[in-house]
Amino acid sequence: MASLRAFAALAGVVALTVAAPVPEPELAERQDTSAPFLHSAAVAHGKAWFGSELDTFSGEQYDQAFMTVWNDSRIFGSTTPGNTMKWEFVEPQQNTFNFSQGMQTVALSKATGKDAHLRCHNLVWHEELPSWVVYQPYDSWTNITLAAAMINHITKTVRGFGSNCYSWDVVNEAIDDNAQWRNTIFYQYMGKYYIPIAFAAAQAAVKSIGADIKLVYNDYNIEFPGAKQQKAVELVQLIKQYGIKIDGVGFESHFVFGETPGASAQMQAMQSFTSLGLNMYQTELDVRFPSLPPTPATLAQQASDYYNTIQACMKTPACQGMTVWDFDDAYSWVPSTFAGQGDACLYWANLTRKPAYEAVYQAITDVNCTVC
Ligand code: XIL
């Protein structure tokens, strides 16, 4: 089912390219847009959004059944582009900028009322970098030239998307799985100081266009107390000690079923950052199964993992909104990154809902979980 739908979407892309008649896409007959509605409920309960990623690079926008759900502003009130604002898309050659792919998500957001909370993602990350950044001849960067290239990327990208962005993930995943500074190319040349430099550049770029864009640090496995979460606190303090602005921290929340931290652990982790005056966001939530297929019992556990996670945001006043990293298994990033794993989303690949969808609604509306 997943591959058929992905194929139908791709066929749509090809058909548009060659201007041939667009074949009837394979519609999921039962795409579910009935009540309850997650975004409407989140707003009614004091949050700014419940949202879902959109990846136009995968051709999602050509999949009519998928878009029927994504477009529904009662279900999703915010989005994040999955790929198209990343460095390799925006600045494929040094100082040659291309905002057109990212602007597709801007346009689709505006058309469906998601533009007030478009989470722009991301400015500095160790993945999806163009080759001119990573594969320079040995040692041809210096700390000065790489800093200048990074600042130029940040400045022109922030200005290019301008006030279409509600927030920017300025630095993404700067801490490794051993809770050390990740050994990225930026770290190799600038040490940890590339992080405050990046935030300072973003702050200056936002100021130069007179916009109000939230500046965010985004990472995974900082959703529960521990060494990596402590390192993220250190990162925030590093930025703040120079008087540089950081508005919030994104908890990616890529979880594994049954290993998801409980609501109180997640709330405690949020507290470490809110006590520094920051806002919080759940930015890329999904709960994957390490082996497939799931059973009714493991689906109930997945529902419980989603419930606990959403509850942590709902019960943390400074947590602004919740975003899932795609809502539909057909386009989830999980199977291509974690071989043999998957079924991490709220909707099955045929666009019907899992128990987790109801669990999210129940967490938002603060009632006991009946599907966990
Ligand atoms: C993923 C995308 O979903 C994939 O399509 C892409 O191939 C790799 O990146 N953390 C992040 C996101 O911050 O940008 C990643 O997105 C998932 C992990």
Side-chain angles (χ1 to χ4, degrees):
M1 189 67 192
S3 57
L4 274 180
R5 283 190 47 240
F7 178 77
L10 271 180
V13 179
V14 173
L16 284 180
T17 314
V18 300
V22 180
E24 186 70 9
E26 189 213 20
L27 289 176
E29 304 75 18
R30 297 177 297 154
Q31 70 261 21
D32 199 340
T33 54
S34 56
F37 304 121
L38 302 182
H39 175 66
S40 305
V43 170
H45 287 79
K47 296 302 174 193
W49 70 85
F50 190 92
S52 180
E53 177 221 12
L54 180 72
D55 189 13
T56 56
F57 182 59
S58 322
E60 289 175 351
Q61 70 276 35
Y62 302 111
D63 183 335
Q64 291 177 26
F66 174 93
M67 289 306 284
T68 299
V69 182
W70 186 88
N71 282 335
D72 194 318
S73 54
R74 300 167 302 181
I75 304 177
F76 302 121
S78 166
T79 196
T80 308
N83 281 295
T84 54
M85 291 187 185
K86 292 172 180 173
W87 197 319
E88 70 174 353
F89 288 85
V90 170
E91 193 188 2
Q93 276 89 43
Q94 187 165 13
N95 209 27
T96 300
F97 285 83
N98 180 352
F99 303 112
S100 61
Q101 294 192 71
M103 287 306 281
Q104 288 186 315
T105 300
V106 171
L108 289 162
S109 302
K110 284 185 194 291
T112 58
K114 296 173 176 61
D115 49 315
H117 296 108
L118 175 63
R119 296 198 70 264
C120 292
H121 173 81
N122 54 49
L123 293 168
V124 180
W125 190 32
H126 62 287
E127 287 186 29
E128 299 188 79
L129 288 169
S131 55
W132 67 265
V133 173
V134 223
Y135 301 117
Q136 289 272 344
Y138 181 71
D139 247 9
S140 63
W141 287 121
T142 66
N143 54 1
I144 301 291
T145 59
L146 185 58
M150 183 185 80
I151 291 168
N152 188 53
H153 176 74
I154 292 169
T155 306
K156 293 190 177 156
T157 305
V158 168
R159 289 187 187 154
F161 291 108
S163 51
N164 292 307
C165 298
Y166 166 79
S167 61
W168 265 109
D169 291 335
V170 177
V171 174
N172 206 44
E173 303 182 348
I175 304 166
D176 70 16
D177 295 342
N178 299 315
Q180 303 301 311
W181 300 119
R182 190 183 293 278
N183 190 22
T184 68
I185 186 138
F186 308 105
Y187 182 77
Q188 286 163 17
Y189 284 90
M190 292 176 260
K192 64 184 177 183
Y193 300 103
Y194 83 89
I195 299 165
I197 293 171
F199 274 84
Q203 181 179 359
V206 169
K207 191 173 177 207
S208 75
I209 55 172
D212 173 22
I213 301 173
K214 309 290 177 217
L215 303 180
V216 177
Y217 176 68
N218 189 51
D219 209 338
Y220 64 92
N221 284 358
I222 57 170
E223 303 87 354
F224 42 91
K228 185 164 176 176
Q229 191 253 316
Q230 272 310 308
K231 192 75 171 175
V233 169
E234 188 184 325
L235 180 148
V236 170
Q237 286 163 339
L238 175 69
I239 295 166
K240 280 177 164 283
Q241 87 186 44
Y242 298 104
I244 297 165
K245 181 165 122 85
I246 171 170
D247 295 294
V249 170
F251 282 4
E252 290 185 12
S253 312
H254 290 298
F255 291 131
V256 180
F257 111 98
E259 296 171 24
T260 302
S264 60
Q266 295 193 47
M267 286 172 67
Q268 205 185 319
M270 288 192 182
Q271 169 74 28
S272 311
F273 300 100
T274 59
S275 63
L276 300 172
L278 298 186
N279 284 326
M280 300 302 301
Y281 316 90
Q282 288 173 333
T283 56
E284 305 181 14
L285 172 59
D286 56 14
V287 181
R288 64 184 184 268
F289 291 99
S291 61
L292 300 169
T295 64
T298 60
L299 282 168
Q301 178 64 52
Q302 181 191 48
S304 168
D305 293 340
Y306 267 101
Y307 184 88
N308 289 338
T309 301
I310 296 300
Q311 208 177 32
C313 182
M314 294 307 299
K315 292 190 182 299
T316 301
C319 186
Q320 305 295 304
M322 304 146 282
T323 305
V324 288
W325 207 241
D326 238 319
F327 65 89
D328 164 15
D329 287 336
Y331 294 104
S332 171
W333 74 302
V334 167
S336 60
T337 307
F338 304 96
Q341 307 190 29
D343 287 359
C345 298
L346 296 177
Y347 283 69
W348 298 103
N350 71 359
L351 290 171
T352 58
R353 292 168 179 169
K354 294 179 189 159
Y357 184 99
E358 184 67 27
V360 166
Y361 179 73
Q362 292 175 338
I364 291 172
T365 54
D366 196 22
V367 298
N368 288 339
C369 186
T370 58
V371 291
C372 295

